[in-house]
């Protein structure tokens, strides 16, 4: 009864609630699994009222459900229904949100291209599985395979107000990109801004990506 009451109270914000649980790492095997199951069912009940923001947050929650599953496990029926009936719609909402390339991002990308001229570098790379846009993808191929770095250039909006604490969106993106196999390399604005010349920027990036990877 208490759980049902909670669901009723927060049902008008069901997207942000499930997204928040994903940020906190409350997966499908935790103590809140019953609540999550009820919320997922509620999503289907209010599907006609879901806003674009609800849908993009639900996409990240569904992705979290998949990535957090132990090997061989399957999604609970409620989450599986949300994915089956709304998954594509939520993905489109997620990939359809606008993104703008900042001057800071352009500066980091230009320096990466200058320093690592022998590797693949792609700006605003779209990961096919998750729909995430990676600021700068650095890919190094070798006979043993390829290594991919997801360089995330984090301006002030990626952190809580007037602090250096990453926002929930920033933390969730870093976590999920890591689960997808990328080596996530954050470049926060306060570390990049003091670098006044090319040599300082080169040393910084080599340290971030590993000094031996430029070989």
């Amino acid at each position: 009864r208490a759980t049902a009451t909670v669901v009723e109270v927060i049902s008008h914000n069901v997207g942000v609630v499930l997204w928040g649980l994903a940020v906190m790492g409350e997966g499908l095997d935790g103590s809140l699994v019953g609540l999550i199951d009820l919320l997922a069912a509620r999503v289907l009940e209010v599907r006609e009222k879901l806003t674009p923001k609800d849908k993009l947050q639900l996409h990240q929650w569904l992705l979290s459900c998949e990535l957090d599953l132990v090997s061989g496990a399957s999604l609970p029926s409620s989450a599986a229904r949300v994915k089956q009936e709304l998954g594509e719609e939520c993905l489109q909402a997620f990939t359809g949100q606008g993104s703008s390339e900042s001057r800071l991002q352009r500066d980091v990308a230009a320096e990466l291209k200058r320093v690592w001229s022998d590797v693949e570098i792609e700006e605003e790379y779209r990961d096919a599985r998750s729909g995430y846009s990676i600021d700068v993808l650095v890919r190094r191929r070798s006979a043993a395979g390829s290594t991919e770095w997801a360089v995330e250039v984090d301006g002030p909006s990626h952190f809580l107000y007037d602090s250096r604490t990453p926002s929930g969106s920033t933390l969730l993106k870093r976590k999920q990109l890591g689960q997808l196999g990328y080596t996530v390399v954050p470049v926060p604005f306060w570390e990049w801004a003091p670098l006044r010349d090319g040599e300082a920027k080169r040393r910084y990036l080599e340290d971030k990506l590993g000094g031996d990877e430029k070989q």
Side-chain angles (χ1 to χ4, degrees):
R1 173 62 182 171
T3 301
T5 301
V6 170
V7 172
E8 185 62 32
V9 170
I10 63 179
S11 61
H12 61 290
N13 288 318
V14 66
V16 71
V17 173
L18 286 170
W19 176 85
L21 292 174
V23 171
M24 293 187 296
E26 292 293 344
L28 297 169
D29 56 350
S31 59
L32 297 179
V33 64
L35 175 61
I36 292 173
D37 193 54
L38 287 171
L39 287 170
R42 181 62 174 167
V43 167
L44 296 171
E45 294 175 7
V46 300
R47 59 188 302 170
E48 299 301 327
K49 298 180 181 179
L50 295 175
T51 66
K53 184 176 180 180
D54 288 328
K55 292 173 184 178
L56 69 88
Q57 290 175 325
L58 285 170
H59 168 71
Q60 289 179 292
W61 169 69
L62 286 170
L63 181 63
S64 179
C65 290
E66 293 180 16
L67 295 175
D68 289 346
L69 282 176
V70 296
S71 178
S74 58
L75 290 174
S77 58
S78 55
R81 281 192 62 205
V82 172
K83 180 174 176 59
Q84 179 181 356
E85 299 183 27
L86 292 174
E88 186 60 31
E89 194 174 333
C90 292
L91 173 60
Q92 290 178 4
F94 185 74
T95 57
Q97 59 182 325
S99 62
S100 58
E101 186 182 11
S102 67
R103 184 173 66 178
L104 173 64
Q105 182 178 326
R106 290 194 299 270
D107 189 26
V108 172
E111 196 61 32
L112 281 166
K113 291 175 182 178
R114 187 182 72 82
V115 175
W116 277 274
S117 58
D118 56 342
V119 299
E120 299 174 35
I121 296 176
E122 185 174 345
E123 298 177 60
E124 295 296 332
Y125 174 82
R126 182 75 66 179
D127 177 73
R129 178 179 176 186
S130 67
Y132 273 120
S133 176
I134 297 172
D135 290 345
V136 188
L137 179 73
V138 179
R139 181 185 291 114
R140 181 172 183 264
R141 301 185 187 275
S142 67
S146 65
T147 303
E148 295 181 323
W149 293 266
V151 180
E152 287 295 297
V153 185
D154 294 332
S157 65
H158 292 83
F159 301 88
L160 300 183
Y161 177 72
D162 199 25
S163 80
R164 295 183 177 183
T165 302
S167 66
S169 296
T170 300
L171 290 173
L172 186 57
K173 183 178 183 181
R174 289 178 183 177
K175 174 188 174 182
Q176 292 183 333
L177 287 177
Q179 290 175 305
L180 288 163
Y182 297 96
T183 299
V184 181
V185 181
V187 179
F189 68 96
W190 71 80
E191 290 183 357
W192 187 260
L195 306 176
R196 297 302 181 186
D197 56 65
E199 180 61 21
K201 293 174 180 179
R202 180 189 64 80
R203 289 197 302 269
Y204 174 87
L205 291 172
E206 287 186 347
D207 181 62
K208 279 282 187 177
L209 276 76
D212 60 336
E213 297 299 343
K214 183 177 174 292
Q215 305 302 321

